[in-house]
Every structure is written in C-alpha cells, then in structure tokens.
Amino acid sequence: MKVHHGPRRDGLDVLVGPWLRDPNRNMDRPLIPLRWHAELRMRLRANWRLKFAGIPVFVTVFFAAYFLLLRYPLFEVTLMPVTALDRAIGYEPLALGLYFSLWFYVSIAPSLLWRRDDLWFHGKMAAVLAAIGLGIFLFWPTAVPAGAGLGEGDAEALAWLKKMDAAGNACPSLHVAFAVFSGMWLDRVLKAMTAPVFVRLINATWCAGIAYATLATKQHVVIDVVAGALLGVIVGSIQSHRPIDKSALANG
C-alpha cells in the first residue's frame, strides 16, 4: 500500500508553523517576519553537526600548515619595513583580547548559515583564502623585525606571545584577511536576517578592532595589514551577489 506523507516540511514549518506563510506566493521570507534574534537561534541549530565538526577541523588543518611553514621556511625570510605609522601605534596590552578573538569571530558567519550548500561554499572560499596566503608564505616567507615599534619593557611583556606565535608569515596578514572575509560574510547573513543596523555596526567595529590589534600587539606592520585586508576583500567578494538563504525560509 502506498503511503502518502503529504508535502515536505522544512525546519521553519516545524518551528513556527506553515500558517505563517502564504503557499501561493514566492517569498524569500515568512509572511509574518520572525524577530531576528529568534531566527538567530534557528540558524544556530540548522546543520549543527556539520558546523560542530567542520569548523574545528578546518581551523586545525589550517594551523598545522601555518605553523609548519612558520617553523620551517623553505626560502630566506624577508623582513617587512617598519613605517612611521607603525612607530606611532604603541603596544597596547588590552588589544590581546581582540587579537585572539579572531578565532571565535571567524566561526560566527558559518554558524549562522541555514543551508548546507551555503556552508560548503563558505568553506570552499575560506580554503581558497588560506591556500593563497599559505602559498605566498611558502614561496615568499616574511617576518616582522624583532622588537619593531616596541620599548624594552614591551618586548619582555610580549616574549610569551612571540614564542607561541612568532611574528613570521607576516605579509599578507592572514589574521586580517580572515577577519575581513568573515566580516563580509557575517554582514551578508545579518542583512538577510534583517538584523538592526547597530548589530551590523558591531560586526564592522569588531572586524576593524581585530585589524588594529595586529598592529597594537606588534604581530604585524601596516603593509601586512593592508595586504591582508585586500586579500580578504578579494576572496570575500567572490560571488558576493550570491543570495544568502534565498529559498531556505520559503521552500516547503
């Protein structure tokens, strides 16, 4: 006997009910808009197993390749020039929190993606960014001059950071590249969620703060930051017209 299961129901139908949508209209969003923070919770739960496993695996593989190139450069390391702006930006211990916050920041955008194909596309673009940056480090290893822009006391205070994350693999700054790339993706997701403007401004400020932190912790110089930002913009702009979740909330 053939069993009729009825129309397929997606996660939105289960959570908020199909009566919130007009089945006769081709809409990208529910007929009754969800509050953006309610949608936030829904997005975090979508494909959570893939996100929970995929994001840490990507970061682990990236760090393995990054530190391998950092410790064992194949070619002579080029020291990046220190500019007047680098000297003007003093060492700021409080910037360390912003510096390390990158590794949480980069996980926000993929964690909020609803559709699996958007997750895979984001992952592929992140891999492209990493491959370009690591490829540059492979053939043109660079480093920030020891003690650049630091006072004697500052150099001692940062010794632990230099041991953990030596100021090599300098240009382009992948710290900045991933911050810009992630900021662009997160802004697109927040826009799709119709999040308030102040939330999008927080995102932009956080992204800029991470870039500043690479200078204030003396892990990079201005040229590294500019090159990293440019790389992040280029990769983040690939298929930027591609709609985020265009049909995720409308297909049923």
Side-chain angles (χ1 to χ4, degrees), residues 9-31:
R9 303 179 73 198
D10 61 16
L12 184 66
D13 285 333
V14 172
L15 288 169
V16 301
W19 57 85
L20 290 180
R21 299 188 296 184
D22 182 349
N24 298 317
R25 296 177 63 189
N26 181 20
M27 300 180 67
D28 291 342
R29 304 195 61 80
L31 185 62

Side-chain angles (χ1 to χ4, degrees), residues 26-252:
N26 181 20
M27 300 180 67
D28 291 342
R29 304 195 61 80
L31 185 62
I32 301 177
L34 297 172
R35 294 176 67 88
W36 73 274
H37 49 76
E39 186 175 337
L40 184 76
R41 294 191 294 270
M42 292 165 54
R43 287 173 175 272
L44 288 171
R45 289 196 292 266
N47 297 302
W48 70 268
R49 292 180 181 85
L50 177 60
K51 297 170 181 176
F52 185 78
I55 295 172
V57 167
F58 179 90
V59 172
T60 300
V61 172
F62 168 78
F63 269 127
Y66 180 89
F67 283 113
L68 184 64
L69 291 174
L70 182 65
R71 304 302 179 191
Y72 305 104
L74 297 182
F75 301 97
E76 183 179 355
V77 177
T78 300
L79 295 181
M80 299 305 296
V82 179
T83 67
L85 183 56
D86 292 306
R87 298 186 185 93
I89 299 174
Y91 166 60
E92 177 52 65
L94 295 178
L96 286 169
L98 270 174
Y99 182 81
F100 287 115
S101 74
L102 172 73
W103 304 114
F104 172 74
Y105 183 66
V106 296
S107 69
I108 299 176
S111 295
L112 293 178
L113 291 173
W114 178 281
R115 298 187 307 188
R116 187 176 291 257
D117 61 336
D118 284 333
L119 270 171
W120 283 116
F121 183 74
H122 176 277
K124 286 189 290 186
M125 291 301 98
V128 166
L129 191 157
I132 293 173
L134 294 174
I136 293 173
F137 298 155
L138 175 64
F139 294 104
W140 185 50
T142 52
V144 174
L150 288 171
E152 183 177 346
D154 295 336
E156 294 176 359
L158 275 177
W160 65 273
L161 178 60
K162 299 299 182 183
K163 289 180 180 179
M164 180 181 66
D165 184 14
N169 290 351
C171 188
S173 168
L174 287 191
H175 218 84
V176 174
F178 271 108
V180 171
F181 170 80
S182 300
M184 292 175 67
W185 267 85
L186 182 53
D187 185 71
R188 292 171 62 197
V189 175
L190 293 173
K191 185 177 180 180
M193 294 169 57
T194 62
V197 173
F198 82 86
V199 177
R200 296 174 66 188
L201 288 176
I202 289 173
N203 171 46
T205 303
W206 194 350
C207 178
I210 291 171
Y212 161 75
T214 64
L215 296 172
T217 57
K218 301 305 174 183
Q219 287 297 97
H220 288 282
V221 294
V222 170
I223 295 175
D224 305 336
V225 170
V226 172
L230 182 61
L231 176 59
V233 167
I234 291 173
V235 179
S237 298
I238 296 176
Q239 292 194 22
S240 59
H241 61 281
R242 187 176 189 268
I244 294 289
D245 300 340
K246 181 176 181 180
S247 60
L249 301 181
N251 291 336

